[in-house]
Amino acid sequence: MNELLASFAAMGGFLVGTLVMMAIRRQSEPVRDPVPIDDSLSPGVASVLAVLPSSAVVLDREDRVLRASSAARAYGLVKGDAMMAAELLALARKVRRDGEIREGELEVPGRKFGQESTTFAVRVAPLGSNGQVLVLAEDQTERFRVEAVRRDFVANVSHELKTPVGALSLLAETIQDAADDPEAVTRFAGRMQHEAARLTYLVQDLITLSRIQGAEAIPTPGPVPVDETVHEAIDRCNTKAASKDITLVAGGTEGLNVWGDDELLVTALRNLIDNAVAYSPEHTRVVVSARPAGESVEVSVSDQGIGIPEGAQERIFERFFRVDAARSRATGGTGLGLAIVKHVAVAHGGEVTVWSKEGSGSTFTLRLPAFGGVAVAVPRTTTPMEAAT
């Protein structure tokens, strides 16, 4: 019995000694940290993000920003290492939980007082297996604005087309009923001609804008006498100006020639003069003048009208843009005239500029390449018929 107890005691001592030795050995070994998770981006991913046109942001598993494009910071989506848009953070957390790609729209208010908000098309996707999330935000503000302007343009043009067409139909019925009254027939026939001309100009402007915007080359360019172009444009606007007792005056240097298409240039000048007449008060003047400017010829149209707000001057040459939609409808405008002028100028290798001040009128200047490379006045040759008179 004593021998058995001695054996158990020896075994217990051996086990205790072994445990003590293991504990000492563990204490002497260095403590190892848990394997860290690499939050850095691989060079390939970083290179792709650098060339993306969208605002790109990469979040780590703690919603900290690892990488953000300059556009994302400029729009205010990211500040420091924090994502500022709560909606994007919520999407990122959902994507991190289930690994599914999500899309949506986000509207960010302007960063300055009075500034328009910015609308983004957003796409959020998981990136790797470390809980990283990629956020892409594409600015859609301009696209939405253009779509809205196009819708407004279609509605306005439809209205403008209906007005002369309806008037022509009504006048035709009136003439039919007044067949026995020559004076009434003559009067209504004159109004029909006016409405027909209005319809013709509108359709012609639409065709011209479509052709010019299509980047088609000028079919038969050649020397264009500026004097004849100015007088032709004034003749086409005389009726409209006379209805408001507005005097159209031609001035400046005579005998100048430019290189281009005479009909397109007449159309551009007519639109500038029409615009000046439409936005000028009664009993005023609109002056069209030409002058040499080195290798170019400048043709200016000046009015004494209401002027253009400074904030709108950068956009007035955009197609379909109108400073005052209500007034534009009242004057018959569709927002095409100045767009046509701009595209005609560009097609001729020139430009159009504007000076304006509210309440003091406006001056539009069409700058065109001179025929022969230098703007020189050429003496006008008198025809035998003119000499006889």
Side-chain angles (χ1 to χ4, degrees), residues 100-184:
E100 294 184 5
I101 297 175
R102 284 179 167 80
E103 297 180 350
E105 287 186 2
L106 173 69
E107 186 169 344
V108 177
R111 304 188 70 184
K112 297 180 180 179
F113 180 76
Q115 188 178 37
E116 294 182 357
S117 61
T118 305
T119 303
F120 293 95
V122 177
R123 186 178 179 87
V124 184
L127 186 64
S129 58
N130 295 336
Q132 295 176 358
V133 176
L134 172 64
V135 179
L136 298 177
E138 186 74 27
D139 185 359
Q140 301 291 302
T141 307
E142 182 66 14
R143 181 174 67 84
F144 290 155
R145 186 189 67 79
V146 171
E147 288 178 357
V149 171
R150 284 183 183 275
R151 287 194 299 269
D152 186 61
F153 164 72
V154 171
N156 194 37
V157 168
S158 299
H159 169 75
E160 293 300 326
L161 287 172
K162 286 179 182 178
T163 301
V165 169
L168 286 171
S169 177
L170 181 61
L171 288 169
E173 292 178 4
T174 305
I175 288 177
Q176 187 176 16
D177 295 337
D180 297 333
D181 187 350
E183 292 185 3

Side-chain angles (χ1 to χ4, degrees), residues 44-116:
V45 173
S47 299
V48 171
L49 294 179
V51 298
L52 283 177
S54 308
S55 298
V57 182
V58 178
L59 301 174
D60 66 9
R61 62 187 185 278
E62 301 296 334
D63 289 336
R64 290 190 300 267
V65 175
L66 294 179
R67 177 69 61 90
S69 65
S70 57
R73 297 185 182 277
Y75 282 120
L77 299 177
V78 173
K79 186 175 182 180
D81 64 348
M83 171 70 75
M84 304 305 294
E87 295 179 43
L88 289 182
L89 279 178
L91 278 178
R93 289 163 185 166
K94 291 179 181 178
V95 169
R96 189 180 293 112
R97 281 198 303 268
D98 55 29
E100 294 184 5
I101 297 175
R102 284 179 167 80
E103 297 180 350
E105 287 186 2
L106 173 69
E107 186 169 344
V108 177
R111 304 188 70 184
K112 297 180 180 179
F113 180 76
Q115 188 178 37
E116 294 182 357

Side-chain angles (χ1 to χ4, degrees), residues 308-328:
I308 304 168
E310 185 176 354
Q313 292 181 21
E314 294 182 358
R315 297 187 55 196
I316 55 174
F317 295 107
E318 293 181 15
R319 52 189 177 181
F320 319 137
F321 178 76
R322 295 169 299 170
V323 176
D324 185 341
R327 185 180 179 89
S328 183

